[in-house]
Amino acid sequence: DQQVKQNSPSLSVQEGRISILNCDYTNSMFDYFLWYKKYPAEGPTFLISISSIKDKNEDGRFTVFLNKSAKHLSLHIVPSQPGDSAVYFCAASPLSIIQGAQKLVFGQGTRLTINP
Amino acid sequence: DGGITQSPKYLFRKEGQNVTLSCEQNLNHDAMYWYRQDPGQGLRLIYYSQIVNDFQKGDIAEGYSVSREKKESFPLTVTSAQKNPTAFYLCASSPGTGTYSNQPQHFGDGTRLSIL
């Protein structure tokens, strides 16, 4: 049972345009969501996060939107640049200030290719 | 520079052998994690540790063991009981307890384990 799903294995976008990556989740206990970027043979790099008390969080070219009623989040990258070509993972966790460790659940990833 | 160091980058194992993957962090983080990534899939949690001398099973702990004798170190042993050990293994850490529990996990660059 996949609790976090990224239904698009790949996405191709022209340089300068907007890239939109989508993620759906099923567990209503999730209230902390993150996006990571990963290059081949490297570890994931944290991009941006959002907690369930917000519906939008912005950091430079990256914006994450959260729709709790639809259990859906998306990552917008604008404008897209060639260096954005990578695999993007969304992840989710219950937010707890009591339990120290986060039990993140990851989606399968979406490979983003930015074409010049 | 603070970060997470995983070694070796590539590891080969013969059938029936145990192997240990190293993970060291100098970020002064309380919580540490081990994930496994298979091709086309997301990261799956093997074990995590909230604090020294404590660790918990993740979603796919069978065939693996860990120890947490020092805050900086969280080695993972892949035992001969793990029937399909070929994968990319990633170690991560996060600040952990209290109000820092919603800080993102930072990842090492991984170890690729292959069976000869």
Side-chain angles (χ1 to χ4, degrees):
Chain A
D1 174 32
Q2 195 128 22
Q3 298 185 68
V4 178
K5 288 185 184 178
Q6 295 176 254
N7 291 316
S8 299
S10 63
L11 177 67
S12 188
V13 173
Q14 193 143 13
E15 183 178 357
R17 300 286 183 110
I18 184 171
S19 297
I20 300 176
L21 296 98
N22 295 302
C23 180
D24 297 294
Y25 63 96
T26 57
N27 189 336
S28 57
M29 297 299 291
F30 290 152
D31 50 13
Y32 176 53
F33 305 89
L34 309 91
W35 284 94
Y36 282 88
K37 173 181 178 179
K38 186 181 180 303
Y39 294 117
E42 293 184 10
T45 302
F46 169 72
L47 272 178
I48 192 168
S49 64
I50 188 167
S51 70
S52 58
I53 60 172
K54 292 184 167 185
D55 54 19
K56 176 182 172 182
N57 190 24
E58 195 170 347
D59 184 1
R61 295 187 298 114
F62 303 94
T63 303
V64 56
F65 295 92
L66 176 62
N67 182 334
K68 291 184 287 294
S69 60
K71 294 191 175 68
H72 177 84
L73 66 154
S74 61
L75 174 69
H76 293 211
I77 306 173
V78 56
S80 300
Q81 299 174 354
D84 296 329
S85 296
V87 177
Y88 289 78
F89 290 98
C90 69
S93 166
L95 179 63
S96 169
I97 62 169
I98 298 173
Q99 181 175 337
Q102 306 158 348
K103 290 190 69 177
L104 290 180
V105 179
F106 283 81
Q108 314 94 301
T110 296
R111 181 177 301 278
L112 175 65
T113 302
I114 306 301
N115 301 309
Chain B
D1 246 34
I4 299 175
T5 302
Q6 290 187 243
S7 60
K9 198 165 180 67
Y10 300 94
L11 188 57
F12 298 92
R13 190 190 94 170
K14 291 184 181 177
E15 295 273 3
Q17 269 186 343
N18 292 355
V19 288
T20 298
L21 284 60
S22 169
C23 177
E24 303 278 331
Q25 55 100 359
N26 60 4
L27 299 167
N28 199 33
H29 285 172
D30 286 314
M32 297 187 74
Y33 314 80
W34 274 104
Y35 293 90
R36 169 182 172 139
Q37 186 190 13
D38 293 284
Q41 296 192 34
L43 282 66
R44 292 183 290 166
L45 183 64
I46 303 172
Y47 267 99
Y48 66 99
S49 167
Q50 298 187 66
I51 202 164
V52 174
N53 293 322
D54 175 75
F55 49 83
Q56 308 292 332
K57 291 182 179 180
D59 300 319
I60 54 165
E62 186 175 347
Y64 299 98
S65 66
V66 293
S67 63
R68 187 86 188 275
E69 296 175 4
K70 297 187 298 182
K71 187 175 185 176
E72 308 79 38
S73 178
F74 191 40
L76 173 75
T77 297
V78 184
T79 75
S80 56
Q82 170 50 237
K83 296 306 175 193
N84 186 20
T86 296
F88 189 52
Y89 291 88
L90 286 156
C91 178
S93 71
S94 65
T97 55
T99 56
Y100 297 104
S101 65
N102 63 340
Q103 294 298 307
Q105 293 179 21
H106 296 263
F107 284 82
D109 279 339
T111 293
R112 185 164 297 283
L113 175 63
S114 301
I115 301 304
L116 294 177

